[in-house]
C-alpha cells in the first residue's frame, strides 16, 4: 500500500540539488526523492558465513594464532 510523505522546511539549496539530480536521471523530483529514500533505507544483502570467511585475506601462518607460544 502506498503512503504519502510530506517533507517541509527543506533548504532551497537541497531542493535545487534534488531537482538537478532528477533532471540528470530523467525523472521528476518526486520520483528522485522516492529513489533516494529507497536506496538509503534498503537493507543490504546478507552475506553467508561461508562468504565472509572466503573474503578474508590469506595472511600469516597457523603459528601466528597459537596462544601457547613460548
Amino acid at each position: 500500500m502506498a503512503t504519502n510523505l510530506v517533507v517541509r522546511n527543506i533548504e532551497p539549496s537541497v531542493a535545487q540539488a534534488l531537482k538537478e539530480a532528477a533532471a540528470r536521471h530523467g525523472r521528476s523530483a518526486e520520483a528522485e526523492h522516492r529513489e533516494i529514500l529507497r536506496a538509503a533505507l534498503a537493507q543490504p544483502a546478507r552475506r553467508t558465513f561461508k562468504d565472509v570467511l572466503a573474503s578474508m585475506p590469506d595472511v600469516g601462518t597457523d603459528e601466528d594464532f597459537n596462544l601457547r607460544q613460548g
Side-chain angles (χ1 to χ4, degrees):
M1 169 173 38
T3 302
N4 291 324
L5 174 66
V6 177
V7 180
R8 294 184 175 92
N9 300 322
I10 299 295
E11 297 89 357
S13 61
V14 173
Q16 184 61 38
L18 178 65
K19 290 176 186 178
E20 291 170 5
R24 280 193 306 275
H25 296 124
R27 51 187 166 216
S28 69
E30 185 176 343
E32 186 71 15
H33 188 193
R34 281 194 299 269
E35 185 54 35
I36 290 169
L37 286 171
R38 190 177 298 114
L41 299 174
Q43 295 291 328
R46 290 186 56 106
R47 294 169 52 194
T48 66
F49 184 64
K50 180 180 176 182
D51 290 339
V52 172
L53 287 178
S55 71
M56 295 175 73
D58 186 17
V59 296
T61 63
D62 289 346
E63 290 78 31
D64 293 335
F65 301 97
N66 185 357
L67 298 178
R68 301 181 195 261
Q69 291 178 357

